Each structure stands twice: as structure tokens, then as C-alpha cells.
Amino acid sequence: MKNKYSHADAQSLRGMASCNVYWLIFLLFLASCTTKTLPPPPNILFISIDDLNDWVRVLKGHPQTLTPNIDRLARQSTLFTHAYTAAPVCNPSRTALLTGIHPFTSGIYENKQSMRASAVLKDAYTLPQYFRNHGYTTMGSGKIFHYSYDTLSWDQYWPSIDKIRPDDPEPTNPPLHGMPVYGRFFDWGPIDVSPAEMGDWQVAEWVSEQLGKEYDKPFFLACGFYKPHLPWYLPQKYFDRFPLDEIVLPSVKEDDLDDVPAIGRALAKEWVPNRDIPGDSVEGDHRMVLRYEQWKQGVQAYLAAISFADECLGKVLNALENSSYRDNTIVVLWSDHGYHLGEKLHWRKSTLWEEATRSLLMFQVPGVTQADIVVPSPVSLVDIYPTLVDLSELPPNPDLQGQSLKPLLKNPALDWEQPVITTFRPGNYSIRSRHWRYTRYADGSEELYDHKIDSLEWKNLATDPQHISIKQELAEWLPKEYTPPTGK
């Protein structure tokens, strides 16, 4: 049987086949030129320092503080100098940060409320849970959540999901300062232990070890330091860094509370209920500290606790810099709220003033942030969740109430005028703009401070008719309604 194709036809077919091969090679070459290799997802190193106010060198809150490692990270990062908490108490602050939902929406206002008992947060995706659901290995140690740890959020937690950090050693004869206090949460003094015996030190070592391992997925690694939370029991060497006779006390005004509404004075705890005698009152923290001449000792102890926490941070930063992840890891460092050490005649947190609401916040993002950048625009800790989602190019979580700070990280000079709202218990709010703090309490009483000239908030301008328009403008940001306390 004759082939129906001639010799010329065969040559033509061979030519066509050859052309097709060359054409295919050309198309593959073009595809290789135009197809971009996607970078791997960034890792997240998520670091918290509990009860740390602005007493770090880069925030200039106290002239004697020693924070070389915080300062080192700040020089490599974008630092938000006016970051504010959603609530000036541990549990509602951390719950808001980790769920992206404000307390006035969730109903979580106090430390003893359970996050998952809130009807609003029952099925909410926490920040680590969101990353876990999108392909990340989530690990952590130390204080990230408050009391209750969420099993849906973590693949691994050390020492365990129930015991979030090793116990700190404690003295056998508290209180060390000699004041008649209830319990261990208002006490300080040196103890005869090594730094390695402290819980935070062991947390830092565990987190550092994780940075030396290999992973088949991107990781979300959380590191929560407990100090400078009370009690301030620390090795002697940290106290020795701050000689008692050289301690600089915070600036205070003896009649500071005279123009503060009654509810604000109550929050300052000038007098507190006597636990032993119903209906009786005893002096609050500041009056007691003054009577027992313990102010310098308290400031010394807080500075010592900050210095210790800073050393723990340094261990983790060194581990990251010496790891294979240094160029593909987002580092975010934050504190959950501020802290008073006599300012406004108050100690601890739990107020709506600057000292209790201002927090530490910085981001180091490879390929996005530049070194040693400062952003003065007011931002909220609730913004951390959407920012990390945005930076990691994950699908947005529509339930979040914060906003991504990625535009500010890329352009620190961006016009960013939205104020920040802080809630302390139902119906009490403070609005912080670039130049003003406006506070309205549940009973309708008000405070207004001009931060252009009054950074210590000594003069309440709320009753001055010249500032009515300022109050009206800031009041537009107040919640129109709030969720009653839930989840107790």
C-alpha cells in the first residue's frame, strides 16, 4: 500500500514539527521570564512585655531606665511613640489585641472574665488561631493571653497549655518592703537567686531554642515576658544598677486630683475599702507608699524589673539574628498597657490617664520597614491583628475592629488622624488624638487635657467653655452603645 504522502509532504511535516518544537521552547522561555517566584510567607515573632509603661530609653519616660535591647530593636524598626491599649487592665487589653474586638463590643472588661464565655468572642478567631488556620505552625511560651489559654490557638505551648511559664522564685517572708499589703501583688525587693532561675529567663531560652530548629511551614512564635509585672522580686544585681540614693522620682502635683471628677478620683484609689472592716476605708497605694517612705524603693524595683525583662529580650533577639530566619521574620514588640508609679497620685494601672493607657509598640518587617523610624500618630493595640494579617498577605478577617498599620509602616509621614479609644469598665472611655485626651465617664463627667502643653495631664480643661468644640469633635468617636459585662 502506497503512502498517501509524497516525499515533499514528509519533508514539510518534519519542518512543521521542528517549528512547533522551537515555538514551544520559545513560549516556555517567555513564561520563565514573566513568571515571578513568590517569596515564602513571613514568619512572625510576637513578643509581649507585661505592665511595661514608657520607661524605655526610646520613649524617654524615665531618665535612668536601662533598656539596651529594646532600644536596639527600635533602631532596626518602626516605633510607634503613641500606641495605646484598648483597656488599661491585662485581660481585657490582651483579649482585645488577640481577637481584634474592643471591650465595649465583647463585654470583656475585667481580669477574671473568660474570653470564650463572651457571646461575641465564643467563636472568634484569635490572632494565632487565624495564622494556624492559614498554614502556620503556632508556638508560644510565657504570658500572651491572660489567665485562660486557648487550645484552638496553639500547636505547641511551653511548659504546657495550662502552665504558661515556669514559676518565679519567691521570698519566704513577704512583704519585703514592710508595708501592710494584701498578698504578693504589691511587693518588691531583691532575692538570692540567679537570673536563670526566673521564669522569664527560661521562657527566653525556650523561645531561642525554637529559633534554632527547622520547620516545614512558616511559624508564629509568641514570647510573653511577665516582668515588670508585680511582684518585683529579682536578683540583687538588677537593683544594684539603680543606686537608691540616685533614684529620680516621677513629677507629681500635690493637688493633681482636685479638678478630677469623683469617679476619676475613685479610680486613683486615694482611699480603698477596708477588707477587714465593712464600710471602712484605708489609705490607697500612694498614701501608704509615702507614709512608709517606699517611693524610691518602688521606682528602683520597677527599673530593676524592666532591666531584667530587657535582658531576656536580648537573648531572643540574639537567637533570631543568629538563625536562618532573620531575613524572613516579622518582629512585633508590644506591652499590654502602661503603669503609674505615683503619677496622678496613683500606682499600678486601671485608669484612663496617659500613664496607664500608653503602650510600647514597634514592628520590624523585612522589605517594608526602614531602620530607626518613629511614627507619632496615635494607634491602637487592636491594630496589631489586622496589620500582621495584611503584612503576611492572608485573607482579611472581616470581624476585626482595628485597622492595618501597613500604610504607616510603608509611609510613616502619612496623614493619620484617627484617634484611639480606650475603655475601662462599662461606659468609661478615653479618646486620645495627636494633641488631646478626652475622657467621659459612665456618669457623664469629663476630663480634657491638651498634650501640646500639658503632657502630664495636670490641668483638666473639660469645664472651660473655650474647648466645647474640641470635646464635641472628640466625642464623635465615643461608642454609641456597649455590651454589658459577660463571661464571668
Side-chain angles (χ1 to χ4, degrees):
M1 181 176 180
K2 291 185 178 180
N3 191 327
K4 66 177 180 178
Y5 297 111
S6 66
H7 177 69
D9 290 335
Q11 283 187 324
S12 176
L13 285 171
R14 284 195 294 272
M16 289 175 62
S18 177
C19 270
N20 287 338
V21 170
Y22 286 126
W23 181 245
L24 179 60
I25 292 174
F26 178 68
L27 290 177
L28 290 173
F29 172 75
L30 287 179
S32 68
C33 291
T34 57
T35 301
K36 293 183 179 180
T37 302
L38 295 176
N43 304 299
I44 309 294
L45 179 57
F46 189 71
I47 308 174
S48 167
I49 303 180
D50 199 5
D51 278 14
L52 177 62
N53 62 10
D54 62 358
W55 288 18
V56 298
R57 281 291 175 93
V58 290
L59 293 180
K60 304 176 182 178
H62 193 283
Q64 293 173 297
T65 193
L66 297 175
T67 53
N69 294 295
I70 293 175
D71 304 339
R72 169 174 43 139
L73 182 60
R75 288 193 298 269
Q76 301 167 353
S77 306
T78 294
L79 170 69
F80 291 89
T81 58
H82 291 82
Y84 295 92
T85 184
V89 191
C90 293
N91 184 44
S93 169
R94 291 168 181 267
T95 298
L97 189 157
L98 291 162
T99 64
I101 305 296
H102 277 280
F104 56 80
T105 299
S106 69
I108 301 296
Y109 301 99
E110 303 285 357
N111 276 344
K112 294 184 179 181
Q113 291 177 269
S114 172
M115 178 185 75
R116 291 301 186 189
S118 162
V120 176
L121 302 182
K122 180 181 178 181
D123 298 315
Y125 292 112
T126 70
L127 172 57
Q129 181 185 359
Y130 200 75
F131 275 80
R132 188 185 189 194
N133 292 351
H134 286 85
Y136 276 68
T137 295
T138 58
M139 308 169 287
S141 180
K143 187 176 178 181
I144 297 299
F145 288 87
H146 188 49
Y147 289 134
S148 59
Y149 270 62
D150 193 67
T151 56
L152 298 175
S153 296
W154 307 105
D155 291 304
Q156 182 183 6
Y157 217 88
W158 186 84
S160 72
I161 200 71
D162 298 312
K163 186 175 181 58
I164 59 174
R165 55 187 290 275
D167 292 332
D168 282 329
E170 295 193 0
T172 57
N173 57 335
L176 296 184
H177 53 37
M179 294 188 293
V181 297
Y182 295 96
R184 55 192 281 277
F185 284 113
F186 197 66
D187 193 17
W188 51 76
I191 53 177
D192 186 18
V193 298
S194 69
E197 295 176 72
M198 301 292 290
D200 284 342
W201 194 272
Q202 296 172 52
V203 167
E205 288 185 333
W206 185 86
V207 171
S208 298
E209 289 172 4
Q210 309 320 301
L211 290 168
K213 297 179 179 180
E214 294 185 4
Y215 303 94
D216 57 4
K217 296 191 295 185
F219 61 74
F220 183 106
L221 177 58
C223 174
F225 296 126
Y226 188 67
K227 290 293 185 278
H229 194 290
L230 282 163
W232 299 322
Y233 301 143
L234 297 145
Q236 179 70 54
K237 75 172 188 175
Y238 297 101
F239 287 82
D240 292 342
R241 293 173 181 177
F242 309 96
L244 195 60
D245 60 354
E246 299 176 10
I247 290 295
V248 176
L249 296 177
S251 297
V252 300
K253 188 169 176 278
E254 294 298 328
D255 61 349
D256 195 359
L257 302 182
D258 287 0
D259 60 358
V260 170
I263 189 170
R265 296 174 69 99
L267 295 181
K269 295 182 179 178
E270 289 184 283
W271 300 92
V272 295
N274 188 337
R275 300 186 187 187
D276 299 324
I277 305 176
D280 188 26
S281 295
V282 297
E283 59 192 359
D285 292 337
H286 191 60
R287 289 178 181 270
M288 181 174 60
V289 165
L290 292 180
R291 182 157 68 89
Y292 282 84
E293 299 182 346
Q294 283 289 313
W295 199 356
K296 284 190 175 182
Q297 289 85 341
V299 169
Q300 179 196 43
Y302 188 69
L303 290 169
I306 292 173
S307 182
F308 168 71
D310 184 80
E311 270 192 21
C312 294
L313 173 66
K315 290 174 65 68
V316 174
L317 295 181
N318 290 341
L320 176 63
E321 290 177 359
N322 294 325
S323 76
S324 60
Y325 305 111
R326 61 173 296 173
D327 296 325
N328 189 36
T329 297
I330 296 171
V331 181
V332 54
L333 174 65
W334 54 276
S335 62
D336 52 355
H337 45 67
Y339 206 85
H340 291 254
L341 286 100
E343 302 94 338
K344 305 294 288 185
L345 312 184
H346 176 68
W347 284 69
R348 311 191 223 200
K349 48 244 184 175
S350 304
T351 77
L352 289 171
W353 293 312
E354 186 80 359
E355 286 80 7
T357 60
R358 191 180 182 197
S359 304
L360 178 68
L361 179 62
M362 64 183 75
F363 285 85
Q364 182 187 52
V365 186
V368 176
T369 57
Q370 302 176 46
D372 206 14
I373 296 297
V374 170
V375 178
S377 303
V379 298
S380 173
L381 297 188
V382 175
D383 299 331
I384 292 177
Y385 189 158
T387 300
L388 289 176
V389 169
D390 194 4
L391 290 168
S392 304
E393 299 185 354
L394 300 182
N397 182 344
D399 296 330
L400 305 184
Q401 293 182 319
Q403 57 186 335
S404 172
L405 302 177
K406 184 176 180 180
L408 269 177
L409 294 174
K410 298 180 72 172
N411 179 13
L414 192 66
D415 187 17
W416 194 274
E417 294 299 331
Q418 179 171 327
V420 176
I421 183 167
T422 300
T423 305
F424 182 49
R425 296 176 179 160
N428 303 312
Y429 308 108
S430 194
I431 306 296
R432 183 63 160 89
S433 68
R434 188 182 290 262
H435 296 305
W436 297 91
R437 174 178 298 282
Y438 171 63
T439 300
R440 183 186 292 177
Y441 296 105
D443 64 0
S445 58
E446 301 171 308
E447 295 178 48
L448 179 69
Y449 300 101
D450 183 353
H451 272 261
K452 297 188 294 296
I453 58 175
D454 183 19
S455 61
L456 298 178
E457 299 183 343
W458 281 352
K459 186 174 179 56
N460 181 11
L461 302 172
T463 59
D464 188 339
Q466 296 183 22
H467 298 97
I468 291 178
S469 61
I470 293 293
K471 291 197 301 180
Q472 290 175 337
E473 177 184 336
L474 294 172
E476 291 295 320
W477 296 94
L478 293 171
K480 302 299 185 282
E481 56 185 10
Y482 64 82
T483 300
T486 58
K488 290 190 176 182

